[in-house]
Amino acid sequence: MMQEHQDWQQFLSRSQLFQGLSPQELQLVNKIIINKNFSKGESIFWQGEPCDGFYLIKKGKVKIFQMSKLGKEQILHIFETGGNFAEVSAFDGKCFPASAIAMTKTELLFFPRSDFLKLLEKYPTLAINMLATFARHLRKFARLVEDLSLKEVPGRLAAYLLDSRECHGNIDSVKLDIPKSQLAALLGTIPETLSRVFYKLSSEGLITIDGSEIQLLDLKGLTVLATGKRL
């Protein structure tokens, strides 16, 4: 157990949320952690359930989503190793506004709300980091609202491919690491429409598709499609 906590502390020191904390402060954070493991497809929480803390992904991938009354899924975000989620609900004390499911075998570090609030009162660096996290998530949701309300599906897909390229070091290829049905839900469309859009981008020479590997042939064209602005 001691070795496990040492591993957690090293992981915390590398995460954006806990950057700038001293080893002593990290030790105190480490003491309140509860380790939770989930199988692929297992629910972490459901929309409307009481929230008593937030999560940091030690290993794996988590889908945050909402379901309409008609059963349509809208993916709000997909978090991977190092990502944290549910912290807004943990701080306002209200129920989860969305649901979370493990997309792979996932290990989470859980931070109980009451214990974490006590640490925030003592360590301003931690509070500042939390504000930065809120700002990042707000920007992502603002981007999601903009994409869903103002862009057609080709523009949403182009923006997704360019963002993925940036996240993976600006190489001119993107590997789809989620099923196309999940990508469709993330982009606010259905799989059949997404398939047609992939074909359209391919036929126009913007991309080539080889299984899950997408080669980005025309970055300028994709940028124009994603932004709606001529370069």
Side-chain angles (χ1 to χ4, degrees), residues 11 15 55-58 79-85 87 108 137:
F11 178 75
S15 70
Y55 300 84
L56 177 65
I57 303 177
K58 177 76 162 56
F79 290 100
E80 301 189 39
T81 300
N84 53 282
F85 60 96
E87 65 282 343
L108 300 178
H137 288 184

Side-chain angles (χ1 to χ4, degrees), residues 26-214:
L26 286 172
Q27 249 183 354
L28 293 174
V29 174
N30 199 10
K31 287 180 180 178
I32 70 170
I33 290 174
I34 299 172
N35 185 238
K36 297 190 177 186
N37 291 281
F38 295 85
S39 303
K40 180 180 178 180
E42 187 177 357
S43 166
I44 299 167
F45 55 76
W46 292 106
Q47 181 177 345
E49 290 181 347
C51 176
D52 57 354
F54 72 96
Y55 300 84
L56 177 65
I57 303 177
K58 177 76 162 56
K59 185 178 181 182
K61 186 180 297 185
V62 172
K63 173 178 69 174
I64 309 296
F65 67 99
Q66 290 182 331
M67 295 290 290
S68 73
K69 292 181 180 179
L70 298 177
K72 181 182 178 182
E73 179 185 76
Q74 174 61 60
I75 297 178
L76 303 177
H77 200 78
I78 293 175
F79 290 100
E80 301 189 39
T81 300
N84 53 282
F85 60 96
E87 65 282 343
V88 173
S89 301
F91 282 97
D92 68 15
K94 296 183 179 180
C95 296
F96 291 113
S99 303
I101 283 181
M103 299 182 72
T104 63
K105 185 178 180 182
T106 298
E107 180 183 0
L108 300 178
L109 303 182
F110 176 70
F111 300 83
R113 179 177 185 270
S114 57
D115 292 335
F116 195 78
L117 288 178
K118 292 175 184 175
L119 290 178
L120 283 181
E121 292 175 358
K122 295 180 180 179
Y123 303 108
T125 300
L126 189 53
I128 291 170
N129 288 356
M130 290 303 300
L131 289 174
T133 292
F134 291 156
R136 285 195 299 271
H137 288 184
L138 182 60
R139 285 181 181 276
K140 288 175 183 176
F141 283 121
R143 171 75 178 275
L144 176 64
V145 171
E146 178 186 355
D147 286 351
L148 293 178
S149 60
L150 300 179
K151 294 179 183 177
E152 299 297 329
V153 178
R156 296 177 214 163
L157 177 57
Y160 174 83
L161 294 174
L162 291 171
D163 285 347
S164 297
R165 172 182 180 266
E166 184 178 349
C167 289
H168 292 88
N170 290 322
I171 57 176
D172 292 336
S173 65
V174 171
K175 186 174 179 63
L176 298 180
D177 55 359
I178 59 174
K180 286 186 178 178
S181 60
Q182 296 289 286
L183 178 57
L186 181 63
L187 298 179
T189 186
I190 58 176
E192 294 79 8
T193 299
L194 181 62
S195 294
R196 289 195 293 270
V197 172
F198 266 118
Y199 177 78
K200 180 178 185 294
L201 267 58
S202 178
S203 63
E204 291 177 353
L206 298 175
I207 62 173
T208 58
I209 305 170
D210 183 12
S212 62
E213 194 79 26
I214 312 297

